Amino acid sequence: MKQWTPNSSWTLDEWMRETRALREALTILGAPLARCLPGEPLDCGRSVWEHYATYAGMLKGVAHIKAECNLGEGPGMDLAERAYTDQLASHRH
């Protein structure tokens, strides 16, 4: 995975900013993470792209679990699913 780089035009600084934003969102939602990105005090040796992919997956999971647990079956969860689908479609040109 270390040799992998995503298909994106973002600069490394943009990747770092976006990865930190995902980490902050997870922390706010109750899933605090170590500050272990490349160059940070607890640098774990994984790339910024590995962190981004991990955090994005975690955020998707946390959001889904929160919606499922707090909305349950019915119109609330249906609305959440539609909003997710619409948001996804709007970003896929």
Side-chain angles (χ1 to χ4, degrees), residues 16 25 28 42-43 49 54 57 59 61 70 77 82-83 87:
M16 290 292 282
I28 290 167
L42 301 175
D43 186 341
W49 302 288
T54 300
L59 186 58
N70 294 307
M77 193 63 194
R82 280 196 315 272
Q87 183 71 8

Side-chain angles (χ1 to χ4, degrees), residues 27-84:
T27 297
I28 290 167
L29 292 172
L33 298 163
R35 297 198 177 278
C36 62
L37 288 167
E40 291 183 337
L42 301 175
D43 186 341
C44 67
R46 296 188 190 268
S47 72
V48 67
W49 302 288
E50 288 176 282
H51 282 89
Y52 183 92
T54 300
Y55 296 169
M58 290 174 68
L59 186 58
K60 182 178 179 180
V62 167
H64 189 84
I65 289 166
K66 285 190 175 287
E68 237 177 44
C69 290
N70 294 307
L71 297 173
E73 294 292 323
M77 193 63 194
D78 292 344
L79 177 57
E81 292 291 345
R82 280 196 315 272
Y84 172 78

Side-chain angles (χ1 to χ4, degrees), residues 12-30:
L12 186 57
D13 286 341
E14 289 169 316
W15 277 105
M16 290 292 282
R17 184 188 72 236
E18 294 294 322
T19 303
R20 285 186 177 115
L22 289 174
R23 181 176 63 194
E24 181 62 22
L26 284 161
T27 297
I28 290 167
L29 292 172

